[in-house]
Amino acid sequence: MKLTAAAILALSTALAGAASAETWDMPVAYPASNYHTENAQAFADAVKECSGGELEIVIHAGGSLFKGDEIKRAVQLGEAQIGERLLSAHANENAIFAYDSIPFLATSFEASEKLRAAAEPTLAKVLGEQNLTLLYSVPWPAQGLYFSKPVSSPADMEGVKFRAYNAITARVAELAGMVPTQIEAADLKQALATGLVSSMISSGSTGVDESVWEDMTNFYDVKAWLPRNTVFANADAMDALSDTAKACVIDEAAKAQARGAEKAAELAGGFVATLAENGMDVNPPAEPVMAKLGEIGETMTTEWQETTGEDGKAIIDAYKAQ
Ligand code: PCA
């Protein structure tokens, strides 16, 4: 058999690659069985295959290597080379990170994708300034309200202890007269069991992951927004990759983004059905509650735009122009 020049080149690149094989740690905050984590695993497998084994990405699920709120910093510092994080939880560093959590701005998977695309250049710039390379992001299903009692009026929410996952959810709670505490999903079950909190806003996905029907009784499908998990790499670690491995990471990230969004849409209805099957009352929100949330949403949209200035305006303008 005669080898073509291209085949010889491919072979020697593969051999050279194998010689300098490297491993990246990828901390993620959510459980191994969650579709975000499964999607990240599929991404890691595809990168390994594409790079001929040159780059292996090892997923550490459920906050086992770094807890959710430590992941971003760990990747910035190079303690991990890549990671997945609910970026909106870092809005205290830069309010831009909460672009995906503005109440009632984008409430369907389709709208969420448009908003993601509109935010991409700004988000990549802001992350770049922190030594992070934006790779991909995947939506959670739309956010609904969980309670341990029926809630049919704004008065029913007053004083309720509320689990927040970022500053936005804490602010929603505050404006509704509830008492927020920020808790990672990995610590949610314990917080519910000990009575630290008795309500939250989240998707059916997290409700199912954490079998919250053991502690809460009512789910209202408010569809407030679709937050995203964002995957980013340490920029120096990216730069140190061979051109082949780098191209694999970028190409497979684009595929993971599309695949993850599809999966989320496919699973969303089933998660809510599972809540009901396990005994939760699943209902649309009562009209007065929805009206209150609408007011809260308007206040918060104004606040976000004031805080984010030109960067926020660029995102909203690009979103509305689509
Ligand atoms: N689940 C995540 C974030 C949004 C969601 O649906 C959580 O509750 O932590």
Side-chain angles (χ1 to χ4, degrees):
M1 186 180 87
K2 254 180 94 179
L3 286 179
T4 62
I8 291 169
L9 184 66
L11 194 65
S12 56
T13 309
L15 288 175
S20 61
E22 87 174 276
T23 303
W24 277 10
D25 286 314
M26 179 168 182
V28 311
Y30 295 94
S33 59
N34 183 277
Y35 70 92
H36 286 281
T37 312
E38 287 177 350
N39 190 43
Q41 186 60 59
F43 162 73
D45 293 345
V47 167
K48 186 172 179 183
E49 162 124 20
C50 167
S51 67
E54 187 184 324
L55 178 58
E56 182 169 1
I57 299 175
V58 179
I59 314 279
H60 303 272
S64 56
L65 185 62
F66 292 101
K67 286 190 179 297
D69 59 0
E70 300 167 347
I71 290 173
K72 180 167 172 287
R73 188 177 148 80
V75 179
Q76 276 177 251
L77 295 178
E79 290 166 4
Q81 295 75 22
I82 184 171
E84 179 194 75
R85 176 62 174 148
L86 186 80
L87 212 46
S88 59
H90 296 276
N92 55 334
E93 292 169 33
N94 190 324
I96 282 298
F97 292 144
Y99 80 93
D100 59 6
S101 303
I102 303 169
F104 306 113
L105 176 64
T107 59
S108 66
F109 283 105
E110 211 191 340
S112 162
E113 171 54 27
K114 283 189 185 167
L115 182 58
R116 183 206 63 72
E120 190 175 76
T122 308
L123 191 62
K125 180 193 78 174
V126 171
L127 287 174
E129 287 161 5
Q130 298 187 328
N131 201 36
L132 295 171
T133 304
L134 172 62
L135 291 175
Y136 71 85
S137 71
V138 169
W140 289 93
Q143 305 292 285
L145 281 168
Y146 290 81
F147 291 103
S148 51
K149 62 176 187 183
V151 167
S152 52
S153 73
D156 291 334
M157 295 191 279
E158 271 164 36
V160 167
K161 291 184 215 156
F162 182 91
R163 175 256 172 170
Y165 58 72
N166 62 16
I168 296 269
T169 47
R171 183 81 179 124
V172 169
E174 240 170 53
L175 291 170
M178 297 191 274
V179 185
T181 307
Q182 191 158 328
I183 295 166
E184 289 294 319
D187 302 322
L188 175 59
K189 267 211 89 59
Q190 203 191 346
L192 284 167
T194 57
L196 184 62
V197 293
S198 66
S199 70
M200 66 174 184
I201 191 164
S202 191
S203 61
S205 174
T206 293
V208 171
D209 279 349
E210 307 303 327
S211 27
V212 300
W213 48 81
E214 288 168 9
D215 298 286
M216 293 188 288
T217 51
N218 293 75
F219 179 73
Y220 297 100
D221 205 356
V222 173
K223 299 198 192 310
W225 63 82
L226 287 77
R228 307 180 76 89
N229 279 0
T230 300
V231 173
F232 40 76
N234 176 282
D236 303 322
M238 267 306 266
D239 282 347
L241 292 178
S242 71
D243 289 348
T244 313
K246 199 181 295 175
C248 288
V249 169
I250 291 167
D251 290 354
E252 294 305 333
K255 288 187 208 162
Q257 181 160 275
R259 191 175 57 227
E262 242 171 64
K263 197 73 192 169
E266 188 187 309
L267 296 172
F271 290 135
V272 177
T274 303
L275 298 177
E277 278 156 26
N278 284 282
M280 292 196 82
D281 280 333
V282 174
N283 289 297
E287 201 278 320
V289 173
M290 212 41 203
K292 176 78 183 170
L293 292 174
E295 273 172 36
I296 292 175
E298 278 173 32
T299 305
M300 291 181 57
T301 305
T302 311
E303 286 175 354
W304 186 80
Q305 284 180 316
E306 280 170 7
T307 326
T308 54
E310 283 306 307
D311 279 348
K313 189 173 174 325
I315 294 177
I316 303 283
D317 288 351
Y319 174 63
K320 296 214 160 135
Q322 287 185 63

